Amino acid sequence: LLAENRALLTAVGKRYGVQPRFIVALWAIESDFGRVMGDYPIIDALATLAYDGRRSKFFRGELMHALHILDEQRLPVERLTGSWAGAMGQCQFMPSSYRRYAVDYTGDGKADIWDNQSDVFASIANYLGSLGWNAKQNWGMEVDLPANFNSRLGDGKTLKTVSEWSRLGVRTALGKALPASSTKAAIVLPAGISGPAYLALPNYRVIMRWNPSDFFAIATGLLADRIGGN
């Protein structure tokens, strides 16, 4: 799919400053390349969740955003379909994210994240780019920790330069030295000190703003690497 859409993805990537392999990875994870978008009526779903007491305030806000979308985009209510939780289209944007980041790349007057692949790719890239994505950097990498590594440093929040982590004995998963760099990074241990370890660069934190889950961010990064041939 990266190869099939290379010209479009390259153009979108240049405009928004995001490598195409990350656009495709998020497209894959969110909707299986547009195959699984959900068919729940968004207004009904959000009205139900707004009534439920657990996250009422959040979903009331999303319901209002969804109603604005119908008005602003001149869409029929039947068009607004998605997941049971209100996420929409091939990139599974919540209504608030749609209003902030969805892009009418083709210039037809509608940001169509359901059926228009150009709009889908541009919307994904615009989301990442707007949050500070750096196209000159990767997301991170799996690393090997020294036997005496202090597990408290692997909280995903402690920032040190890549060179500082190297001096602490952190190596690549293949046992090679980390590149000398002043870029700040964190160590993430999603399964604890006995599980795999990852060096998380600033782009990792951008992915976490898309979905605040270490598992989601790592899956996105690893899939993007595989798509890119790494």
Side-chain angles (χ1 to χ4, degrees):
L1 287 169
L2 175 67
E4 288 174 13
N5 297 281
R6 190 173 299 281
L8 173 59
L9 285 163
T10 299
V12 168
K14 286 182 178 178
R15 177 177 294 189
Y16 297 100
V18 177
Q19 304 95 310
R21 60 194 176 93
F22 286 97
I23 300 173
V24 176
L26 284 165
W27 182 37
I29 290 173
E30 288 293 359
S31 67
D32 191 18
F33 308 105
R35 286 191 285 266
V36 184
M37 294 184 281
D39 56 5
Y40 286 86
I42 290 298
I43 300 300
D44 293 6
L46 290 173
T48 300
L49 291 165
Y51 180 77
D52 180 34
R54 286 169 291 183
R55 298 180 67 194
S56 300
K57 183 177 179 181
F58 171 76
F59 286 111
R60 279 198 301 270
E62 293 299 327
L63 175 59
M64 293 301 107
H65 281 297
L67 293 172
H68 278 295
I69 290 169
L70 292 176
D71 182 48
E72 294 163 354
Q73 298 286 316
R74 298 294 189 266
L75 294 173
V77 69
E78 295 80 12
R79 189 69 190 83
L80 231 59
T81 57
S83 77
W84 65 270
M88 308 181 300
Q90 296 189 34
C91 42
Q92 291 290 281
F93 281 1
M94 291 299 290
S96 58
S97 295
Y98 177 97
R99 294 187 73 204
R100 290 189 190 101
Y101 306 117
V103 172
D104 174 19
Y105 189 79
T106 54
D108 63 0
K110 297 186 188 306
D112 183 358
I113 62 173
W114 293 269
D115 296 316
N116 189 316
Q117 218 162 59
S118 298
D119 289 0
V120 171
F121 294 160
S123 297
I124 292 172
N126 184 48
Y127 195 125
L128 294 178
S130 297
L131 296 179
W133 188 267
N134 185 346
K136 295 180 180 180
Q137 291 184 355
N138 200 355
W139 66 279
M141 67 180 79
E142 186 173 358
V143 292
D144 185 47
L145 303 178
N148 63 347
F149 185 78
N150 183 349
S151 62
R152 287 179 293 182
L153 295 177
D155 59 2
K157 299 176 182 177
T158 301
L159 295 177
K160 296 181 182 294
T161 67
V162 174
S163 294
E164 286 173 332
W165 287 120
S166 183
R167 287 195 290 272
L168 287 174
V170 178
R171 297 291 181 265
T172 72
L174 296 176
K176 297 180 179 179
L178 297 176
S181 172
S182 60
T183 299
K184 295 275 187 160
I187 298 294
V188 178
L189 304 171
I193 192 64
S194 61
Y198 298 90
L199 183 74
L201 298 172
N203 282 341
Y204 182 95
R205 293 190 287 278
V206 174
I207 300 172
M208 287 279 286
R209 291 181 65 184
W210 178 298
N211 184 323
S213 161
D214 285 310
F215 298 109
F216 182 93
I218 292 167
T220 300
L222 292 176
L223 181 57
D225 285 347
R226 292 294 297 274
I227 289 170
N230 298 327

